[in-house]
Amino acid sequence: RTEKGMNQLELATALIEDYGLRVDQNSISLLEKKLRFLKDFELIALSDLLDKSPMWFLYGDKVPQKFKD
């Protein structure tokens, strides 16, 4: 989200408005602190919104070659 220049509230708002998810700024904060699990449908929405592969959320910039497109 920081690469997109978004704060947590902006990200939560986009997920609500564009994808119909029920999240708030606190939910985003907990996800970033790894204190909350990411649901499958949230993963898809975040991937689309942030232009990142779902695999990026699992491995960061070190996605194994066998999972790259």
Side-chain angles (χ1 to χ4, degrees):
R1 76 173 162 81
T2 57
E3 289 177 18
K4 293 281 189 184
M6 300 175 82
N7 64 36
Q8 293 175 344
L9 182 57
E10 291 168 331
L11 179 59
T13 300
L15 290 169
I16 292 166
E17 293 178 355
D18 298 343
Y19 299 92
L21 298 184
R22 295 180 59 168
V23 296
D24 57 17
Q25 180 274 324
N26 188 55
S27 297
I28 302 300
S29 177
L30 292 173
L31 282 171
E32 290 179 353
K33 293 177 185 175
K34 299 178 181 172
L35 297 175
R36 177 184 179 279
F37 289 104
L38 181 62
K39 299 171 184 159
D40 56 352
F41 56 88
E42 294 171 333
L43 174 62
I44 301 303
L46 282 168
S47 294
D48 187 50
L49 182 63
L50 299 177
D51 296 320
K52 294 286 187 181
S53 161
M55 297 306 281
W56 181 86
F57 287 89
L58 298 173
Y59 295 102
D61 293 326
K62 297 180 181 181
V63 176
Q65 188 62 40
K66 66 182 180 180
F67 295 124
K68 292 184 179 181
D69 296 336

